[in-house]
Amino acid sequence: MGDLGLKYGFWGFGLGGTSIANACANIRMNVKNNMQPYTALLVNTNEVDMNKIPHCSTATKYILRGFEKGAARDIQVGEEAFLTHKEDLISKVQQLFSDRDFIFLVVGLGGGTGTGAVIEAARVLHANGFKGRFGLVLTLPRDQEGKVVLDNAIRRLQLIAKAMKGLGSILLVDNQQLFEDYLQKNSKGNVEDFLKSTNEYIAELLHDINMVTSNYNPTGPYHFDISEWLKMLQTSGIIMIGKTVLYESDVDAENQGTYLALMKQSIERGVLSGGYKLENADRCALSLLASPAGAKRMFTLGMINTLEKQMMEYAPYANERPVATYGDKAINQLHIYSVFAGLSLPKRVLDIVESSKKLVRTVEATDEALTMLQSYNISDGSEVDDLEALLNSNERTEPGPKNSDDPFSNL
């Protein structure tokens, strides 16, 4: 398998975004030329975090000088750091990504650098030759990461939701879901192993679907080719990917119970995030890969009809919903990939908002020591300062909206 579908570029920000982008750039193919087909630009404020990213010959590291100590989960600092280096970053993007078919802007929502830079980075891509050729990969924080992280993610999701029609596809990675899945299988694992596994899985999934478009022999009338995949990626809204792998010997084409339930589970839950209203999809597709013998036995008219009906049930208003089948000697199991594009935000976003609300301090949770201190009367008549008012006197306010004619003015 040496033919590549789309030439990806990955622009990663912050520790989370650069880690994923670097894993994508590390994908290797079994060919002499184009062995590492993807290119990455890794951007961070924190030099210590950047040094944690392993070397990759197709990934370029860029430190936002003047902010080397990091953004400390302050999205204003992250945005300022980006804007300070904006012109140089535009030059880097044009230099590294000019030959790329599609760019993924990769950010871990919740921190300071990536969360602060994501809007301005999207503007840069839109205004500098990549309109219609870029999308976002955004990780959603776990509930336990604290109110600052959750609120940072919410603030950026609010803005991104308003601008979704002007962007390409957005792939959401739910760290809460992935962590729970990993914990069930690796309860004795550590955080570093979890993050490494997640980053590699995201990279392999994007690569696998890219390879489906150009490397396998269709056995039916439909082929989910490069143009179909690019059309999915260019569709505004959230893109959801499902994947399930079954032993061919376990699948009976005449018995839906041997394949349909597991396929539906991978779609309804998603492999990176779930909880979507699939009926809102603008486009969807299903690709099935098997060995030549397995494809001949399994991909009957009855099985394909069952799958087509299921896709129709999921996305009745989708403009396209092809079911493509492939047989190839390089495959020895049944692989089922599903893609739904043009979706709205999933239920997980609502869960994040609710988790943040639960972390708001209530009147009942007031510090008892502070209350006692404020109410105590000193016998000599001296007054105690209102500590609460004193501590809150320097609260910062959010800047007001900016007037702009660019397509991201609602951001």
Side-chain angles (χ1 to χ4, degrees):
M1 294 191 301
D3 295 331
L4 185 69
L6 297 175
K7 292 183 290 185
Y8 294 153
F10 296 89
W11 194 8
F13 282 85
L15 180 58
T18 56
S19 297
I20 295 172
N22 195 64
C24 294
N26 260 309
I27 288 288
R28 292 177 176 269
M29 297 174 61
N30 294 322
V31 291
K32 291 183 178 179
N33 293 314
N34 210 27
M35 183 181 295
Q36 289 181 275
Y38 305 130
T39 301
L41 174 59
L42 315 179
V43 181
N44 205 350
T45 51
N46 193 307
E47 195 161 16
V48 173
D49 284 346
M50 184 69 90
N51 290 335
K52 296 177 184 176
I53 306 297
H55 171 76
C56 174
S57 61
T58 55
T60 299
K61 295 182 178 181
Y62 187 100
I63 291 291
L64 297 170
R65 295 296 175 189
F67 302 86
E68 293 91 339
K69 293 182 180 179
R73 297 190 179 88
D74 187 329
I75 57 180
Q76 300 295 335
V77 172
E79 183 173 310
E80 180 186 351
F82 179 90
L83 292 174
T84 300
H85 294 264
K86 178 179 175 179
E87 295 306 316
D88 195 28
L89 286 170
I90 290 173
S91 177
K92 286 287 185 183
V93 164
Q94 292 173 332
Q95 173 190 340
L96 294 171
F97 296 148
S98 60
D99 69 333
R100 301 290 93 182
D101 298 312
F102 196 82
I103 312 301
F104 290 98
L105 177 55
V106 192
V107 169
L109 290 182
T113 302
T115 311
V118 62
I119 302 300
E120 294 302 328
R123 281 196 173 107
V124 162
L125 291 173
H126 183 88
N128 290 274
F130 297 94
K131 181 180 178 180
R133 293 170 52 201
F134 78 94
L136 279 63
V137 177
L138 306 174
T139 69
L140 301 177
R142 294 169 55 216
D143 293 339
Q144 295 91 330
E145 292 186 59
K147 185 167 176 56
V148 170
V149 171
L150 297 178
D151 286 351
N152 282 348
I154 291 168
R155 287 190 180 98
R156 280 303 178 251
L157 284 170
Q158 288 172 333
L159 299 181
I160 289 168
K162 293 177 182 178
M164 241 190 309
K165 292 301 180 182
L167 301 170
S169 61
I170 301 172
L171 180 64
L172 294 181
V173 179
D174 182 3
N175 280 340
Q176 183 77 26
Q177 176 178 317
L178 296 183
F179 182 80
E180 290 172 358
D181 290 346
Y182 186 85
L183 191 61
Q184 287 183 356
K185 300 175 183 178
N186 304 276
S187 60
K188 295 183 180 179
N190 56 51
V191 174
E192 183 178 353
D193 290 340
F194 160 67
L195 294 174
K196 183 174 184 293
S197 172
T198 297
N199 297 337
E200 291 175 352
Y201 185 74
I202 296 168
E204 290 166 3
L205 186 64
L206 290 173
H207 177 65
D208 286 351
I209 294 181
N210 199 25
M211 297 300 285
V212 169
T213 66
S214 59
N215 272 271
Y216 302 107
N217 302 313
T219 63
Y222 298 110
H223 174 33
F224 185 64
D225 61 19
I226 298 171
S227 65
E228 296 286 348
W229 177 225
L230 181 58
K231 195 183 296 182
M232 289 275 193
L233 292 173
Q234 291 172 329
T235 300
S236 297
I238 309 298
I239 188 168
M240 191 283 298
I241 300 174
K243 176 186 177 182
T244 188
V245 181
L246 305 172
Y247 289 110
E248 292 185 356
S249 58
D250 291 342
V251 178
D252 182 347
E254 299 302 312
N255 183 351
Q256 297 180 13
T258 62
Y259 64 88
L260 190 60
L262 290 172
M263 185 200 79
K264 289 174 65 176
Q265 179 181 324
S266 77
I267 291 174
E268 293 168 11
R269 194 167 187 270
V271 292
L272 298 178
S273 60
Y276 295 96
K277 293 182 178 180
L278 298 176
E279 63 269 24
N280 294 333
D282 291 330
R283 292 185 173 86
C284 62
L286 199 64
S287 296
L288 292 86
L289 286 68
S291 66
K296 186 176 181 179
R297 177 181 66 82
M298 291 184 292
F299 300 156
T300 63
L301 285 176
M303 182 181 190
I304 300 305
N305 184 54
T306 296
L307 296 175
E308 287 176 340
K309 285 183 176 180
Q310 185 60 63
M311 295 297 280
M312 178 71 175
E313 182 179 328
Y314 277 137
Y317 309 111
N319 297 321
E320 299 167 325
R321 61 176 80 83
V323 175
T325 57
Y326 304 87
D328 196 280
K329 61 183 180 180
I331 304 297
N332 55 23
Q333 293 177 304
L334 173 60
H335 296 249
I336 305 176
Y337 295 94
S338 55
V339 183
F340 290 76
L343 298 168
S344 52
L345 292 168
K347 180 180 179 297
R348 173 61 186 152
V349 173
L350 298 177
D351 294 340
I352 291 174
V353 173
E354 290 301 316
S355 295
S356 175
K357 286 181 179 179
K358 291 177 182 178
L359 296 176
V360 175
R361 293 182 184 273
T362 62
V363 175
E364 290 76 14
T366 301
D367 189 324
E368 293 182 6
L370 179 59
T371 302
M372 178 70 75
L373 184 63
Q374 290 175 329
S375 62
Y376 184 69
N377 292 320
I378 304 298
S379 59
D380 63 3
S382 62
E383 296 181 354
V384 179
D385 288 334
D386 185 344
L387 298 181
E388 190 172 47
L390 178 64
L391 293 175
N392 289 332
S393 63
N394 293 319
E395 288 185 349
R396 296 173 61 185
T397 57
E398 294 290 330
K402 300 177 182 178
N403 294 322
S404 173
D405 293 329
D406 80 44
F408 294 93
S409 59
N410 285 334
L411 299 187

